[in-house]
Amino acid sequence: VEETGLVLKLGELVIDKVCAQLARWAQSGDKLVPVSINISPRQFNDTDVAQTLRRALERHGVDPSLVEVELTESSVMNETAAVVSAIKAIRATGIKLSLDDFGTGYSSLSQLYKLNFDGLKIDRAFIVQLGKTEGGIVIVRAIVTMARALAMRVVAEGVETMEQVDMLRALDCDEIQGWLISKAMPPAETQPVARNFVVVEA
């Protein structure tokens, strides 16, 4: 799909479908939480994602604070003027940005600082090592510490056990996602998850 260019049409369709679903959920009157949309490197680099997002938000009357965009490290590692401009354009819509699958690419500290992401998602590969190797804890602690210094929210991906939750709480991680919370499910009449599983005590 990535090579044929179909991912561009698919990505545009996903953005529209997410906004349409948020609009339907909003009709219930319930307080909604943001929904994240993964943007492929091809879509980010070859299309005007900010414009696509803006049009979908306007078409369905959705508050931009209810949409978050996730980009992979490979999408932004070149740190070109075009990348910086695209990120600024997305942020200008009021949508927050997260760096997805962190630790599997080649981001540098200077890139993270300059690109000004709102959040960072720790790749599952590091989470599964928690409780298994000492290195797992060291790496996650280093990522959380770095994200904190850059004022970024930290989300742990692929959490499957309460042991991992306890360790992530101790490491000051903000949120988790994974099968422990819920497996993928089709849309319901109301938003199925009231809010992400927050592991930082209020």
Side-chain angles (χ1 to χ4, degrees):
V1 176
E2 189 87 20
E3 291 78 10
T4 63
L6 286 175
V7 72
L8 303 181
K9 288 292 184 185
L10 180 61
E12 190 173 330
L13 180 63
V14 166
I15 289 171
D16 187 75
K17 290 288 188 184
V18 167
C19 290
Q21 185 62 59
L22 281 164
R24 281 194 289 274
W25 282 334
Q27 292 173 357
S28 70
D30 294 337
K31 184 177 179 181
L32 303 180
V33 297
V35 174
S36 295
I37 302 174
N38 291 85
I39 303 294
S40 75
R42 180 82 183 270
Q43 184 181 9
F44 178 72
N45 290 302
D46 292 0
T47 70
D48 188 340
V49 175
Q51 184 180 61
T52 301
L53 288 162
R54 191 164 45 248
R55 286 177 175 171
L57 290 169
E58 291 172 356
R59 183 161 50 248
H60 299 288
V62 173
D63 188 325
S65 67
L66 291 176
V67 176
E68 295 183 354
V69 162
E70 296 180 11
L71 301 173
T72 61
E73 289 182 275
S74 60
S75 298
V76 300
M77 69 180 184
N78 291 329
E79 199 188 316
T80 62
V83 166
V84 174
S85 177
I87 287 176
K88 285 182 178 177
I90 293 171
R91 289 179 64 85
T93 66
I95 291 172
K96 290 187 176 179
L97 278 157
S98 290
L99 189 61
D100 195 22
D101 300 332
F102 183 78
T104 60
Y106 303 96
S107 291
S108 67
L109 283 172
S110 64
Q111 278 181 311
L112 290 178
Y113 179 73
K114 291 176 185 176
L115 297 176
N116 196 24
F117 281 89
D118 298 289
L120 180 153
K121 303 185 76 173
I122 305 174
D123 188 78
R124 179 182 181 277
F126 301 113
I127 304 306
V128 297
Q129 294 304 315
L130 290 176
K132 294 183 179 178
T133 65
E134 188 175 334
I137 293 177
V138 170
I139 290 171
V140 173
R141 180 183 290 118
I143 294 172
V144 171
T145 301
M146 178 195 66
R148 283 280 171 271
L150 296 171
M152 296 169 69
R153 188 178 85 254
V154 186
V155 181
E157 299 182 295
V159 177
E160 297 181 4
T161 69
M162 283 306 300
E163 181 185 17
Q164 291 169 343
V165 171
D166 291 338
M167 291 182 179
L168 289 163
R169 179 182 287 115
L171 292 169
D172 199 28
C173 183
D174 295 301
E175 300 177 21
I176 66 171
Q177 70 177 55
W179 282 7
L180 182 66
I181 304 304
S182 175
K183 294 187 178 181
M185 59 177 66
E189 288 302 310
T190 58
Q191 196 174 39
V193 179
R195 66 177 293 170
N196 292 339
F197 194 109
V198 179
V199 298
V200 170
E201 301 291 350

